[in-house]
Amino acid sequence: MARPFSPAFLMSRFLFDLNQPQRDAVRHVEGPCLVIAGAGSGKTRVIARKMAHLVEAGMYEAQHIAALTFTNKAASEMRERVSHLLTDSRQAGRLLVCTFHALGVQMLRQDARLLGLKERFSIMDSDDCLSLIQNMIVTTDKSLARRVQSCISSWKGRLVEPDSALSGAESEDEAQAARIYRDYVATLRAYQSVDFDDLILLPVTLFREYCAVRDKWQRQLRYLLVDEYQDTNICQYMLMKLLVTGPGKKSLFTAVGDDDQSIYAWRGASLENMTLLKEDFPDLKLIRLEQNYRSSTRILQAANAVISHNPKLFDKELWSDLGPGDPVKVTPMENEEQEAEQIAISLSAHRFERKTSFSDYAILYRGNHQSRLLETALRKERIPYSVSGGQSFFSRAEIRDVVSYLRLIANNADDPAFIRALTTPRRGVGQATLSLLGQFAGECQCALFDAVYREEVADRIAPRQLQPLRQFCDFIGQIALRAARPGAGSRGDGAAALLDEMIQETGYEAWLYDCFDEKAARAKWGNVTDFTGWLKERAKGDRAAGVAEKNLLELTQMVSLMTMLENQEGERDAVRLSTLHAAKGLEFSHVYLVGVEEGLLPHHGDADAPISSNGGRIEEERRLMYVGITRAKRSLQISWCKKRKRGSKTRSCERSRFIDEMRLDEQQSPFGRDSELTSQERIANLMALLK
């Protein structure tokens, strides 16, 4: 039950520096609210202020307020902002600020048994699920397995059950994918595991089938805020709806999003969810945030002009009082080599002239393949850079294979590590045997590793199939026992020697050469030796300094820090290279938007799905262009190539239709909305211009 309304609510210290629409968004708490937040309009500020306001005004206890985001980084930033706003910063720790998926994990950990899952169910990552699907298809074609995986993810995101997917299949390929979907779901259940999509789908199932569970979470989460609402899929919308609706319950939530920045349809995001809000919640309060605090006027004029060619769900037009800024420049290039070289030279000169940092610059592009030439040109000019969206060394399949052994040695209850290590390389253990083992482990509520040694398992699995399972577990157990011993000593159990022995005993090198051509196998094995060499170096002690040699278990604990170490490298002063998709949510003082030509941006895609001026694909590509433009704060430079290599052929290119849609030759006076400006706004623009 909410606390009594406080008069302090209207005079809150959280409102004084907000503009009027932002204040309205923070104040509206007595019913459903949709905030249409344009790029750079302060949406994170509004959500953080609203959470702090609800607590400080005494309307809700902190533990009854939840904010859902789409990334851990966004959740962390939100939590930090709120902690600085609250009088008692400890209250921030009681707020639930997390991703949709993290919330799903909390729900399932409490009530998974109702769905037949053990309390310590495993979460299989995307790569492990891909391997599972690949084994079901019985193929080495990873691209085929990825397409099936994408279909399954799409079905789950749309709440489509396997039988419905099969009955609705429109081709034999789709029907085959649906049959694999059915087997995939059964196998995950047998393994007592879930995938990433299940973390949303299964809580929806729980709420639909068990009213008591739904009531419990509705009592726990009494006010809900959702960030980046335009990126929700149907399943996420349903979870949100089930949390805020019910007999006699008042729907209390604030959804914040922007239909013009919906660029994730390819991974299931449904723009229709914004329309559904209006239909499902007739008393929905609609608030528009249109003042942009990021970009100069000329940049916003270009963005508004482009996006005006899309049909509008909610009318809005961004404006700014930050001054005109530099003119938006469009430069045609002869080819992609010249484009990369000219950008590197231009960036270096611009930085010298403006006395800026490398981190003030971003080079944005449609596809990852465009980064190679740009990286070469930047290295030539000795410009430091970091690449967003590229594959981490530690995320390579061969490194993850080795790490699965280390994880299992450190914790034999790690079921995903057990499955990956057992099947890479395979040891005569098939999918059917693993399914039987998973079912048995689920009934016993124990780890797969422990289930192998239970006497009763012999009643389920024939001796011929059980023998390789126990041999594998014996091997892991012996390594684990020796791994915990300190130092090398006379026993030869030092981390380096034990690591080499483990790799040799698995037969991993031979398996690589059996599965891949020689060039690929050599590259993968080289990565493995680089990785093990990296670990060995960190195992070495220093007797003079009194530092003992690390054992294998201590090295394994270091593996969990690898991602953290890589992320810290990205904080150095460097130019950011990024795809447009990966750049969403970021901002940079100076942006180079490259490859803005027909076929690339907008991307034409497959021949089976031609781009259409009236279709949804061109509208999403236009939103992608809009996102790229609105990443820029002070200057934006756009380039396109007259010729570009595609494969072994060089083809002529046309500049993107989006460049013409920007109407750069028709841009208004440098002060933007001249006829509408107040005298205070004119003075502010003059001050910004002088700066």
Side-chain angles (χ1 to χ4, degrees):
M1 182 176 179
R3 290 182 178 181
F5 181 85
S6 170
F9 177 62
L10 295 176
M11 300 298 293
S12 170
R13 61 191 175 90
F14 303 124
L15 301 178
F16 78 96
D17 60 345
L18 301 182
N19 62 39
Q20 190 57 51
Q22 289 174 332
R23 289 194 191 103
D24 294 341
V26 171
R27 282 174 172 164
H28 187 82
V29 295
E30 297 182 350
C33 179
L34 173 60
V35 180
I36 305 299
S41 62
K43 70 176 180 64
T44 305
R45 169 190 276 199
V46 166
I47 296 173
R49 295 291 181 94
K50 190 158 192 172
M51 281 192 288
H53 193 104
L54 290 170
V55 174
E56 294 284 295
M59 302 191 68
Y60 293 93
E61 298 284 353
Q63 61 266 28
H64 296 315
I65 301 170
L68 301 181
T69 68
F70 274 81
T71 66
N72 290 320
K73 181 181 177 183
S76 178
E77 180 186 349
M78 194 82 69
R79 201 178 296 111
E80 185 177 352
R81 285 203 187 193
V82 178
S83 68
H84 290 313
L85 292 168
L86 292 171
T87 305
D88 181 358
S89 60
R90 292 173 299 180
Q91 292 276 46
R94 301 186 185 105
L95 292 163
L96 181 59
V97 185
C98 63
T99 64
F100 270 94
H101 295 89
L103 175 62
V105 170
Q106 292 189 38
M107 292 172 168
L108 290 177
R109 290 296 181 203
Q110 292 187 25
D111 297 295
R113 55 185 173 74
L114 296 174
L115 298 176
L117 287 169
K118 64 183 181 183
E119 184 179 337
R120 292 179 62 188
F121 64 85
S122 298
I123 302 170
M124 294 185 68
D125 65 26
S126 180
D127 281 352
D128 288 336
C129 291
L130 181 66
S131 297
L132 183 61
I133 291 169
Q134 207 171 339
N135 291 335
M136 289 177 173
I137 302 174
V138 192
T139 181
T140 58
D141 185 354
K142 281 201 170 185
S143 61
L144 172 60
R146 286 192 187 94
R147 288 197 295 273
V148 173
Q149 185 179 37
S150 179
C151 282
I152 291 173
S153 179
S154 176
W155 280 320
K156 287 189 175 188
R158 291 184 284 121
L159 299 172
V160 178
E161 298 289 337
D163 290 342
S164 299
L166 184 58
S167 63
E170 298 180 355
S171 67
E172 179 52 35
D173 286 346
E174 197 171 329
Q176 179 62 16
R179 286 189 283 269
I180 293 167
Y181 178 24
R182 182 179 55 201
D183 295 341
Y184 171 78
V185 169
T187 303
L188 280 183
R189 184 60 57 90
Y191 287 177
Q192 289 291 296
S193 298
V194 300
D195 64 16
F196 206 53
D197 296 307
D198 287 332
L199 298 179
I200 312 296
L201 177 61
L202 294 181
V204 168
T205 304
L206 268 175
F207 285 3
R208 283 175 162 177
E209 296 182 4
Y210 299 96
C211 293
V213 175
R214 180 180 175 185
D215 291 343
K216 176 181 70 175
W217 280 97
Q218 285 189 345
R219 289 193 301 272
Q220 174 63 35
L221 307 180
R222 299 180 187 176
Y223 198 95
L224 188 66
L225 300 101
V226 180
D227 189 20
E228 302 286 8
Y229 176 73
Q230 78 281 350
D231 294 336
T232 56
N233 61 26
I234 292 171
C235 192
Q236 287 163 328
Y237 174 70
M238 185 54 65
L239 179 63
M240 172 189 149
K241 184 178 176 182
L242 288 168
L243 276 171
V244 300
T245 59
K249 178 175 174 58
K250 195 169 187 178
S251 299
L252 299 173
F253 68 86
T254 296
V256 182
D258 181 10
D259 50 321
D260 289 336
Q261 295 188 75
S262 178
I263 58 173
Y264 294 118
W266 54 276
R267 71 181 189 193
S270 174
L271 194 53
E272 293 177 3
N273 285 351
M274 301 196 84
T275 304
L276 281 175
L277 271 187
K278 293 192 293 184
E279 296 174 358
D280 291 344
F281 301 94
D283 57 339
L284 181 73
K285 173 75 171 178
L286 184 64
I287 298 170
R288 294 175 175 82
L289 304 184
E290 297 175 290
Q291 182 174 0
N292 177 285
Y293 293 92
R294 174 190 302 160
S295 305
S296 63
T297 299
R298 287 189 174 112
I299 290 170
L300 293 183
Q301 288 173 358
N304 288 332
V306 167
I307 205 64
S308 69
H309 288 77
N310 271 3
K312 289 284 188 180
L313 287 179
F314 305 96
D315 288 330
K316 73 172 186 305
E317 184 168 347
L318 296 181
W319 61 275
S320 167
D321 60 9
L322 296 177
D326 295 345
V328 176
K329 295 181 180 179
V330 177
T331 307
M333 304 287 185
E334 291 301 319
N335 52 50
E336 60 265 51
E337 286 87 357
Q338 186 199 38
E339 181 180 50
E341 291 171 2
Q342 288 297 316
I343 285 173
I345 293 170
S346 168
L347 191 153
S348 184
H350 190 277
R351 175 178 172 273
F352 178 79
E353 178 188 342
R354 303 291 181 96
K355 295 181 174 57
T356 54
S357 300
F358 286 117
S359 57
D360 291 327
Y361 296 85
I363 304 174
L364 308 181
Y365 38 81
R366 180 63 174 82
N368 275 312
H369 66 278
Q370 293 172 259
S371 72
R372 184 179 61 83
L373 288 174
L374 292 165
E375 291 184 64
T376 301
L378 292 174
R379 284 197 298 268
K380 182 180 177 182
E381 295 297 322
R382 298 185 178 181
I383 297 174
Y385 65 89
S386 62
V387 183
S388 296
Q391 185 185 36
S392 158
F393 176 78
F394 298 111
S395 68
R396 296 177 186 273
E398 58 272 20
I399 305 303
R400 291 166 60 85
D401 289 341
V402 174
V403 169
S404 69
Y405 283 90
L406 296 176
R407 284 168 49 193
L408 190 58
I409 288 167
N411 174 21
N412 61 27
D414 189 335
D415 286 349
F418 175 89
I419 294 167
R420 185 165 193 139
L422 178 67
T423 57
T424 316
R426 285 199 168 275
R427 294 172 173 78
V429 179
Q431 205 71 46
T433 301
L434 266 175
S435 294
L436 289 172
L437 181 66
Q439 289 168 358
F440 177 76
E443 293 169 12
C444 296
Q445 292 289 296
C446 67
L448 294 172
F449 189 97
D450 291 339
V452 170
Y453 290 111
R454 296 282 180 104
E455 291 184 9
E456 305 94 316
V457 77
D459 298 331
R460 303 285 187 91
I461 301 175
R464 190 162 58 89
Q465 280 78 41
L466 189 57
Q467 182 184 5
L469 280 171
R470 287 184 170 168
Q471 285 178 341
F472 170 75
C473 290
D474 287 345
F475 165 68
I476 294 296
Q478 290 166 9
I479 295 286
L481 184 64
R482 296 165 60 195
R485 295 174 182 172
S490 60
R491 295 180 297 270
D493 287 343
L498 200 52
L499 191 59
D500 285 340
E501 182 182 335
M502 182 193 79
I503 298 293
Q504 184 177 354
E505 288 295 322
T506 63
Y508 191 76
E509 182 181 9
W511 178 78
L512 285 175
Y513 280 92
D514 286 342
C515 294
F516 301 94
D517 63 58
E518 185 176 353
K519 182 179 178 181
R522 193 185 315 116
K524 288 177 177 292
W525 180 244
N527 288 335
V528 170
T529 56
D530 286 347
F531 175 59
T532 55
W534 183 86
L535 287 175
K536 290 173 189 176
E537 281 296 315
R538 279 147 186 80
K540 291 179 180 178
D542 187 339
R543 289 184 180 180
V547 178
E549 180 180 343
K550 292 183 175 65
N551 63 33
L552 192 60
L553 285 185
E554 290 169 327
L555 278 185
T556 301
Q557 292 167 358
M558 288 177 57
V559 172
S560 64
L561 299 176
M562 291 174 185
T563 302
M564 185 189 305
L565 292 172
E566 286 201 321
N567 288 341
Q568 288 173 354
E569 290 178 4
E571 296 172 4
R572 61 195 175 99
D573 183 24
V575 174
R576 179 73 65 91
L577 269 64
S578 175
T579 63
L580 288 165
H581 284 101
K584 186 171 177 291
L586 303 178
E587 59 182 43
F588 306 91
S589 293
H590 309 286
V591 169
Y592 290 84
L593 186 49
V594 306
V596 186
E597 60 217 38
E598 290 294 317
L600 200 50
L601 183 62
H603 196 274
H604 281 188
D606 299 330
D608 298 341
I611 203 159
S612 164
S613 59
N614 298 318
R617 288 192 63 249
I618 184 62
E619 291 169 11
E620 176 147 342
E621 291 291 311
R622 187 174 283 114
R623 291 193 290 269
L624 200 55
M625 179 71 176
Y626 175 83
V627 165
I629 294 171
T630 54
R631 297 314 92 196
K633 296 165 69 175
R634 293 292 169 264
S635 74
L636 173 65
Q637 299 197 43
I638 294 171
S639 60
W640 64 280
C641 295
K642 297 176 182 177
K643 293 182 180 179
R644 185 177 293 274
K645 281 186 180 178
R646 293 179 185 171
S648 59
K649 296 182 178 179
T650 299
R651 300 184 182 179
S652 297
C653 304
E654 296 179 7
R655 75 178 194 169
S656 171
R657 68 192 76 182
F658 299 152
I659 293 176
D660 294 329
E661 290 176 0
M662 292 167 72
R663 299 200 299 270
L664 298 179
D665 55 341
E666 300 175 14
Q667 283 201 343
Q668 302 170 22
S669 125
F671 298 121
R673 308 171 304 122
D674 249 2
S675 60
E676 305 172 25
L677 290 179
T678 64
S679 58
Q680 289 88 348
E681 288 173 324
R682 290 176 190 273
I683 293 171
N685 275 338
L686 284 169
M687 293 296 292
L689 184 60
L690 289 172
K691 289 179 183 178

